[in-house]
Amino acid sequence: MVKLSVNINKIALIRNSRLSNLPDIYEMAKIAILNGADSITVHPRPDLRHIRPCDVYRLSDITDSTELNIEGNPFEPENENYPGFMTLVHKAKPHQCTLVPDEINQLTSDHGWDLVRDKDTLRPIIKKLKSQGVRVSLFMDPGLEAIQYELAAHIGADRIELYTEEYAKAYGTQGQGEILKKYILAAEIAQSFGLEINAGHDLNLENISMLASSVDLKEVSIGHALIIDSLKYGLGNTVAKYREALA
């Protein structure tokens, strides 16, 4: 069974639109877990536009029965309100850390790592995370040359997370078959080097089943579409629907 990680950034974005603690991030995460979420994902950023450091620390206390996945750029520096990504991860002690090459003010993740360029700077970061017992996943594009996936394994990553926007855009079009093959091949190449496969970005109730039944995935991370669906169905029912789609 593919595990479902629920990204709650958008819930925090709604909370931050008012000077209150509603909706309560902690309570929303508990609802997701009670209805089948295997993991909670957060992506803190230095501008605190959604998830805040205090949210991350609080969430680390409720995931005994599931996992906490913190994603972000490990090179993000500290500021007066943000301790820096690596300090935040060190204090929160998540089960998994997904490293993403975001720019400081980037709207959302839109590309993976170039490991031919970035391997030497990522290697000590990955070593430090793994010494703390944190599983490491690297956000990666599909369709790369095999050397990129080989390098992911060589510098110590446990998993890669395939960036699925291209698949989501192609879903339902004549080109979906060829794009899907790209993801299947990328997963197979990565697995040949001992890596496990996660996936995320623009996955929803319509397109998730085909990907999950075609690619050998360990986990999908879903936020934007899942939170939109929860406006129609309620958060608990929506998480259950995604669990059913993955099955």
Side-chain angles (χ1 to χ4, degrees):
M1 171 70 75
V2 182
K3 291 187 176 182
L4 171 64
S5 188
V6 175
N7 187 321
I8 58 174
N9 276 16
K10 283 298 190 297
I11 297 175
L13 189 66
I14 296 170
R15 188 267 319 267
N16 293 355
S17 67
R18 293 290 183 94
L19 298 176
S20 73
N21 191 42
L22 296 175
D24 187 298
I25 298 301
Y26 186 87
E27 293 300 319
M28 295 299 102
K30 285 202 298 185
I31 290 172
I33 291 168
L34 287 171
N35 287 275
D38 301 292
S39 169
I40 298 297
T41 289
V42 291
H43 188 146
R45 287 183 167 90
D47 60 11
L48 307 186
R49 73 182 82 156
H50 33 59
I51 289 293
R52 299 167 179 164
C54 59
D55 297 324
V56 178
Y57 300 141
R58 192 176 179 210
L59 287 167
S60 66
D61 294 334
I62 70 164
T63 53
D64 291 338
S65 61
T66 183
E67 292 194 350
L68 176 64
N69 172 47
I70 303 178
E71 62 181 28
N73 190 326
F75 305 111
E76 286 175 347
E78 64 179 294
N79 59 44
E80 59 181 349
N81 297 310
Y82 184 73
F85 183 82
M86 290 299 291
T87 298
L88 186 58
V89 171
H90 175 68
K91 291 182 178 180
K93 296 179 173 61
H95 300 82
Q96 178 173 271
C97 186
T98 302
L99 304 181
V100 183
D102 281 352
E103 301 296 333
I104 291 294
N105 296 313
Q106 193 166 322
L107 179 62
T108 187
S109 304
D110 63 8
H111 64 281
W113 293 99
D114 177 354
L115 294 183
V116 172
R117 180 191 64 203
D118 300 319
K119 62 183 184 300
D120 291 333
T121 52
L122 283 172
R123 191 193 308 270
I125 296 289
I126 294 172
K127 183 178 181 180
K128 183 176 182 179
L129 289 169
K130 294 185 72 172
S131 73
Q132 298 167 356
V134 179
R135 183 173 66 240
V136 178
S137 179
L138 298 178
F139 197 63
M140 301 282 289
D141 297 315
L144 299 174
E145 293 182 359
I147 184 62
Q148 293 278 357
Y149 307 114
E150 182 178 12
L151 285 170
H154 184 67
I155 63 177
D158 302 291
R159 297 182 179 183
I160 62 169
E161 179 176 327
L162 288 174
Y163 172 44
T164 51
E165 182 184 25
E166 186 178 12
Y167 164 76
K169 286 183 175 180
Y171 181 79
T173 71
Q174 291 183 344
Q176 76 174 19
E178 287 303 310
I179 297 301
L180 184 60
K181 288 179 183 177
K182 181 188 292 190
Y183 284 84
I184 294 170
L185 180 59
E188 289 175 347
I189 293 172
Q191 287 169 327
S192 74
F193 296 116
L195 296 164
E196 295 179 324
I197 313 299
N198 294 344
H201 207 88
D202 287 348
L203 297 177
N204 58 39
L205 284 173
E206 292 185 1
N207 63 34
I208 193 172
S209 294
M210 178 180 289
L211 184 72
S213 63
S214 302
V215 179
D216 184 12
L217 300 173
K218 287 293 183 181
E219 177 183 284
V220 293
S221 177
I222 306 176
H224 185 76
L226 190 149
I227 301 307
I228 290 173
D229 287 333
S230 73
L231 298 177
K232 295 185 287 183
Y233 307 122
L235 180 58
N237 289 335
T238 298
V239 172
K241 285 178 179 290
Y242 275 86
R243 279 252 52 94
E244 182 179 354
L246 286 170

